[in-house]
Amino acid sequence: MASFTSLGFLFRFLPIFLIVYYFVPSKFKNLVALLGSLVFYSLGEPIFVFLLIFLSLVNFFIANASCRAKKSTSKKKNRPKIYLILVILLDLISLVTFKVLIAAGFNVLLPLGLSFYTFKMLSYQIDVYRGTIKEGPPILEVITYFCIFPQVAEGPIMRFREGDFFDEKKITLLNIENGLRYFIPGLAMKVLLADRIGILWNDLGMYGYESISTPLAWLGAFAYSFELYFDFWGYSLMASGLMVAMGYEFIENFNHPYASNSISEFYRRWHITLGSFFRDYVYFPLGGSRTSKPKMVLNLSLVWILTGIWHGNSLNFILWGVILGLFIILEKLFYGEFLKKNRIIGNIYVLILIPLSWVVFAISDFPKMGTYFSRLFPFFTTAQVVDQGDIFTYLGDYWYLIIAAVLLCIPKITDLFRKYKDTVAVKILLVLLFWYSVYFCTISEGNPFMYLNF
Amino acid sequence: MKKAPVLLSIIISSLVLLLVGIIGRNNVYAEGTSNGLTEPVLKDVLMGIKDGVYPWHIFDSDVKNEAIEKVNAQRALEEEMLKKQEEALAAEEKKKEEERIAKEEAKKAKPTPTPTPTPTPEPTYTPRYEPLRETTYDEYISHISADIYGEDGVNFASEYKFKNVDITYFDDALFIGDSRTVGLRKYTDLKEHADFLCKTSMTIYKVLESDFDNKLTVEKALKNKKYGKVYIMLGINELGTGTTENFLASYTTLVDEIREISPETKIIIQAIMNIDRTQSTKDKVFNNTNILGRNNAIATLADNENIFYIDINPIVCDEDGFLRDDLRGDHLHLLGKSNELWREFLLAHGV
């Protein structure tokens, strides 16, 4: 039930939650949100829900102590800093312990959403330390922020002050209606597009990368790029749609990354809340770009190695981060301006490089990754057993999904949707999309979100 | 309605479908699996649409009766199986009890030990086409494919002397199969010789009703062209569905259908290929024990004249019978390049 695409969530948890949330007086809404979130989380993680509660409480009390120390006499001047270091260590140790255990081959899974909610906690602590969050906010608001169910599993990594937790929320049907306008497209992207294009990528692994033709290897790289994008964008839309239904502001996590003209722009538009986390809490404090060139290169390298580590538990993720960091550094130092002026070239550059980087992201086994690249660029090797016509088989099966995916990557197309969002046609389309997606979830017992184990 | 049309449409349509589900609960959706609590009734309605039962069928008495009959038949079967199992258990208990009493009496009468002649039962000969036993109720409800035939069929089939053939032998061959046969077609040169009717997620239960490429069915394909041999490998997708008896019955129907349309055609039944260790050791349904139960059953169809049974598993599996890790692409499919082994195996097993 801890997945937005299960019938249990859509027709049990969500309606019951929304009805209660809708009817309780404003001052109890945070409490209902918190209780609902703990129920939601414990349905997915009956044991690690206690880790979430524990970390939430510790983070609240330390931040609270830090706020008090700031107000008191100068004797305790160093206290906030000590608190900050302590709590950062605690949050990071929780996250890193699990990651190390997994990397070392222990049979454990990362607790649901750990990498997302610890990042929320870190941002909260740093904001308190910096004074962006002033008065120590009440316990209920803070814990609700850490645990709130739309975001607890896969983000977006919302900041505390983006969440207007103090407002007396007056939820009307309009809030829920508006939420649905984000939620339904997200659901459809995930179920009707990402999961199904994912089968193509899966097939390539099944037959072995050594047996795919070069055109199919490229199609596979694009297919995986689409799968990842619509899976995660879809999830973010669902999460933010739920937040809107609960009276919060919409949090944008994706803004047409594939229309970018450089890798740096791509990552300002892809998983925006993670990118801005690293920007505000790592890159800027280190001096960002307003420093000497060698220092900037160092800063960017650090940010991108951390980004790689955050994404996974095997070496290929670090390699992925290093490659992206490298291109971003090259852009900053050399050809960034050129790409800005030649937008079409920039876009082609992005559309070739990013799918290749996703291949590195997707294949954790290095020899297999090598094989895949030798099929993408078959200049030095000759393949043995290849079905030369395979690209046509797959285009025959997937052409309509590929067209839909390409169209949704074009900003003008989604602008149309936004422009006509109040027309009857779009509303009918939304209802139909909802039922078609629900039908699909039901008959194909969803495969869990790809980002869920991160 | 004006303020929140999408929300209200979804609420109303949900309620309508819920009502449909409740009304149809004991008739058109009688086969449904939802419990109404953790699995919404809606699931039955949506699954129904997939199986061709639409919401308006709750007003269609034919569809209703059909569903009710099906469920009743199912229940009767289950009850019968349960009864048989209980009887068998009771009989065993009784036997044990009798043995115990006999032993005690023998003890009491120690001074005069009479050598009780334990009647050694005559070894009963089992005819090849008769199962050794029936699937029990417990096996049935836990989706276990019972090994009810033993190795007799396999042993008989392996007595046949298969020939080495060259690739042109497959010029008049037809392959029927699921995703595994799709791999064989894609990654070997067999596609240049033989015809293929294969599709991902194909099962023995739907093979006769299915359209393959170019709208071909098994029947049409056999009528269009005269095939010298038909190769079948089916059975992995339907492992959890039905019992060994059902599976064999459907397999027999397919074989009979081919024989009827094209009596001259030789039919080569291929053993279901085993799966790898990771999946087989953790899965209660998809495991090699269940595959063996079904393979032993379909092997009994072989007569070594028109119908043959061949088993690729010794070639592609390790000593424990698991699909080899170096040959597999996932838990149950061969890598593209590994299909070469399958091709060679077929070339060495001509009939």
Side-chain angles (χ1 to χ4, degrees):
Chain A
M1 259 200 225
S3 146
F4 297 162
T5 54
S6 70
L7 287 187
F9 176 81
L10 290 170
F11 294 99
R12 286 288 177 274
F13 179 86
L14 191 59
I16 294 172
F17 173 81
L18 282 179
I19 289 169
V20 177
Y21 189 79
Y22 185 89
F23 284 108
V24 294
S26 294
K27 59 180 171 183
F28 294 123
K29 288 205 197 302
N30 276 338
L31 184 66
V32 171
L34 176 62
L35 293 177
S37 300
L38 292 178
V39 170
F40 174 85
Y41 193 83
S42 52
L43 287 172
E45 289 282 13
I47 295 163
F48 287 121
V49 68
F50 294 105
L51 180 69
L52 173 66
I53 295 172
F54 168 76
L55 284 177
S56 298
L57 287 173
V58 173
N59 270 277
F60 167 75
F61 284 113
I62 295 186
N64 214 30
S66 171
C67 284
R68 270 204 312 270
K70 273 188 183 173
K71 274 191 249 167
S72 61
T73 51
S74 54
K75 264 188 191 171
K76 295 179 177 173
K77 217 177 164 186
N78 275 332
R79 285 277 175 89
K81 198 167 209 166
I82 296 168
Y83 287 139
L84 179 70
I85 292 168
L86 273 178
V87 80
I88 287 182
L89 280 177
L90 174 77
D91 291 343
L92 284 182
I93 286 171
S94 317
L95 182 58
V96 170
T97 308
F98 279 99
K99 288 200 164 244
V100 168
L101 285 179
I102 294 165
F106 284 90
N107 192 17
V108 282
L109 286 177
L110 203 57
L112 181 69
L114 182 68
S115 17
F116 290 91
Y117 69 71
T118 46
F119 266 43
K120 268 175 138 182
M121 290 166 181
L122 289 173
S123 84
Y124 180 76
Q125 297 298 344
I126 299 172
D127 284 356
V128 164
Y129 176 76
R130 287 178 176 168
T132 344
I133 298 168
K134 286 202 173 66
E135 302 295 314
I139 183 161
L140 186 60
E141 276 72 9
V142 178
I143 309 255
T144 308
Y145 161 68
F146 292 147
C147 301
I148 201 154
F149 76 89
Q151 298 177 344
V152 74
E154 273 188 70
I157 305 164
M158 183 178 80
R159 307 288 170 82
F160 181 73
R161 58 182 186 282
E162 286 175 316
D164 38 66
F165 285 89
F166 304 111
D167 292 359
E168 291 267 302
K169 291 190 184 61
K170 291 212 169 43
I171 309 296
T172 65
L173 284 181
L174 199 61
N175 290 87
I176 303 178
E177 175 82 3
N178 285 336
L180 278 176
R181 288 179 186 188
Y182 295 111
F183 186 86
I184 295 171
L187 178 71
M189 277 177 201
K190 155 81 185 149
V191 177
L192 302 179
L193 216 49
D195 287 356
R196 291 162 79 193
I197 289 191
I199 300 171
L200 193 162
W201 175 254
N202 220 38
D203 259 20
L204 303 191
M206 183 179 94
Y207 289 127
Y209 302 138
E210 62 281 330
S211 299
I212 53 178
S213 70
T214 297
L216 184 61
W218 281 95
L219 183 69
F222 282 106
Y224 184 71
S225 307
F226 287 137
E227 178 191 1
L228 208 54
Y229 179 42
F230 291 111
D231 187 87
F232 202 14
W233 186 24
Y235 185 93
S236 298
L237 280 176
M238 283 190 271
S240 293
L242 292 171
M243 291 296 280
V244 169
M246 289 162 70
Y248 293 88
E249 293 282 315
F250 180 76
I251 302 282
E252 182 133 79
N253 215 14
F254 288 86
N255 179 21
H256 287 293
Y258 287 104
S260 306
N261 308 299
S262 65
I263 307 294
S264 5
E265 189 187 352
F266 185 90
Y267 280 97
R268 284 195 299 273
R269 293 162 170 265
W270 172 283
H271 201 174
I272 295 169
T273 51
L274 181 74
S276 66
F277 179 94
F278 278 115
R279 184 194 64 210
D280 293 347
Y281 301 119
V282 183
Y283 187 61
F284 283 175
L286 290 172
S289 312
R290 293 181 185 167
T291 170
S292 66
K293 272 191 180 161
K295 185 87 199 305
M296 182 193 80
V297 169
L298 204 68
N299 293 347
L300 280 171
S301 310
L302 182 70
V303 164
W304 281 96
I305 289 170
L306 287 178
T307 307
I309 295 173
W310 184 86
H311 273 85
N313 303 298
S314 46
L315 285 176
N316 64 310
F317 291 102
I318 299 176
L319 178 65
W320 170 79
V322 167
I323 292 172
L324 291 173
L326 185 72
F327 277 100
I328 288 170
I329 290 168
L330 290 176
E331 284 170 10
K332 285 247 191 264
L333 294 180
F334 306 110
Y335 53 82
E337 284 305 311
F338 170 81
L339 292 177
K340 243 181 220 165
K341 279 175 204 145
N342 301 279
R343 303 193 65 82
I344 293 173
I345 295 178
N347 195 224
I348 293 170
Y349 156 87
V350 166
L351 290 179
I352 292 171
L353 267 185
I354 290 290
L356 293 178
S357 75
W358 287 137
V359 173
V360 177
F361 183 90
I363 308 174
S364 55
D365 178 300
F366 281 101
K368 278 189 185 170
M369 192 198 294
T371 308
Y372 201 98
F373 274 91
S374 76
R375 300 309 302 138
L376 286 164
F377 304 100
F379 309 126
F380 310 107
T381 48
T382 45
Q384 303 135 5
V385 196
V386 171
D387 172 11
Q388 287 301 345
D390 53 9
I391 179 92
F392 300 108
T393 322
Y394 283 100
L395 282 178
D397 289 345
Y398 290 90
W399 63 271
Y400 57 100
L401 293 174
I402 294 167
I403 290 179
V406 169
L407 288 178
L408 282 173
C409 286
I410 302 171
K412 284 222 165 70
I413 303 281
T414 45
D415 287 347
L416 276 181
F417 178 79
R418 225 163 275 154
K419 189 176 163 194
Y420 293 106
K421 73 176 176 16
D422 290 322
T423 58
V424 180
V426 166
K427 285 171 192 162
I428 293 173
L429 181 73
L430 281 177
V431 177
L432 292 178
L433 268 182
F434 174 80
W435 281 112
Y436 193 49
S437 306
V438 170
Y439 170 71
F440 242 88
C441 306
T442 314
I443 63 165
S444 60
E445 308 171 358
N447 63 346
F449 291 99
M450 307 172 68
Y451 265 67
L452 220 50
N453 280 331
F454 280 24
Chain B
M1 193 72 198
K2 263 186 190 159
K3 241 172 110 185
V6 175
L7 173 66
L8 291 174
S9 308
I10 286 174
I11 292 176
I12 292 166
S13 45
S14 301
L15 292 176
V16 170
L17 291 180
L18 176 67
L19 198 65
V20 167
I22 292 171
I23 294 173
R25 199 156 170 69
N26 293 317
N27 47 72
V28 288
Y29 301 121
E31 275 188 284
T33 54
S34 83
N35 53 16
L37 197 70
T38 47
E39 290 196 318
V41 177
L42 202 67
K43 186 181 165 195
D44 293 341
V45 182
L46 296 170
M47 290 303 279
I49 294 174
K50 185 190 163 215
D51 301 332
V53 178
Y54 295 97
W56 51 89
H57 282 144
I58 52 168
F59 303 114
D60 186 327
S61 49
D62 288 350
V63 182
K64 272 185 184 169
N65 292 335
E66 198 185 314
I68 293 171
E69 270 167 30
K70 220 170 159 186
V71 168
N72 285 344
Q74 185 86 354
R75 282 199 193 126
L77 180 80
E78 280 172 24
E79 270 165 26
E80 196 191 325
M81 286 176 103
L82 190 59
K83 216 172 112 193
K84 270 189 189 158
Q85 180 169 314
E86 278 164 1
E87 279 169 9
L89 274 175
E92 206 170 294
E93 291 274 301
K94 208 176 156 194
K95 206 175 141 199
K96 270 189 193 160
E97 183 66 17
E98 277 171 7
E99 273 171 11
R100 196 180 59 83
I101 291 169
K103 253 188 197 169
E104 271 176 15
E105 278 175 0
K107 258 187 195 169
K108 276 181 200 164
K110 226 178 182 179
T112 48
T114 40
T116 38
T118 38
T120 39
E122 285 289 304
T124 46
Y125 171 74
T126 352
R128 188 154 35 86
Y129 293 104
E130 285 297 318
L132 301 168
R133 63 177 182 88
E134 285 177 45
T135 297
T136 66
Y137 178 75
D138 286 346
E139 285 165 337
Y140 164 76
I141 51 163
S142 36
H143 301 292
I144 289 173
S145 303
D147 184 8
I148 55 174
Y149 281 92
E151 290 177 348
D152 290 355
V154 173
N155 289 338
F156 175 74
S158 65
E159 282 168 16
Y160 185 79
K161 293 266 169 288
F162 292 96
K163 296 185 286 258
N164 282 312
V165 291
D166 69 36
I167 194 81
T168 54
Y169 163 90
F170 292 100
D171 287 342
D172 65 345
L174 172 69
F175 283 84
I176 299 175
D178 48 37
S179 52
R180 292 160 149 194
T181 307
V182 172
L184 181 70
R185 175 176 66 180
K186 278 172 104 121
Y187 294 105
T188 64
D189 59 351
L190 281 167
K191 61 175 169 292
E192 290 148 31
H193 298 271
D195 291 336
F196 283 80
L197 293 180
C198 53
K199 211 175 185 179
T200 300
S201 74
M202 185 50 60
T203 69
I204 197 74
Y205 301 119
K206 60 184 186 189
V207 61
L208 283 171
E209 283 91 54
S210 296
D211 281 341
F212 293 85
D213 301 346
N214 311 322
K215 297 260 164 216
L216 266 180
T217 59
V218 171
E219 191 190 340
K220 272 190 208 155
L222 289 169
K223 283 180 177 163
N224 284 353
K225 183 171 161 183
K226 202 162 160 44
Y227 288 104
K229 38 257 170 196
V230 172
Y231 285 82
I232 310 166
M233 187 192 286
L234 285 169
I236 188 70
N237 294 306
E238 58 275 51
L239 259 191
T241 320
T243 56
T244 308
E245 282 95 336
N246 302 145
F247 179 71
L248 180 62
S250 296
Y251 219 112
T252 312
T253 312
L254 172 66
V255 168
D256 287 349
E257 175 88 8
I258 299 170
R259 299 274 302 145
E260 198 183 311
I261 303 172
S262 178
E264 311 282 292
T265 306
K266 305 238 185 271
I267 298 171
I268 296 98
I269 297 171
Q270 301 179 80
I272 306 165
M273 204 188 296
N274 285 352
I275 61 177
D276 78 342
R277 185 183 296 270
T278 322
Q279 188 75 24
S280 184
T281 44
K282 74 165 188 221
D283 201 310
K284 290 204 173 70
V285 172
F286 291 91
N287 59 50
N288 291 339
T289 320
N290 284 345
I291 292 178
L292 182 70
R294 294 199 168 188
N295 278 343
N296 281 346
I298 54 177
T300 62
L301 292 172
D303 60 10
N304 291 356
E305 281 171 27
N306 298 304
I307 306 169
F308 304 87
Y309 172 82
I310 56 177
D311 184 356
I312 194 186
N313 283 313
I315 310 282
V316 292
C317 296
D318 62 19
E319 62 272 27
D320 300 323
F322 298 111
L323 186 59
R324 270 163 53 189
D325 285 350
D326 58 325
L327 303 178
R328 72 194 172 93
D330 55 15
H331 301 304
L332 42 106
H333 293 96
L334 288 174
L335 284 167
K337 62 180 178 189
S338 315
N339 284 290
E340 184 57 26
L341 290 172
W342 191 351
R343 174 186 175 273
E344 279 168 19
F345 170 79
L346 292 172
L347 284 170
H349 286 79
V351 295

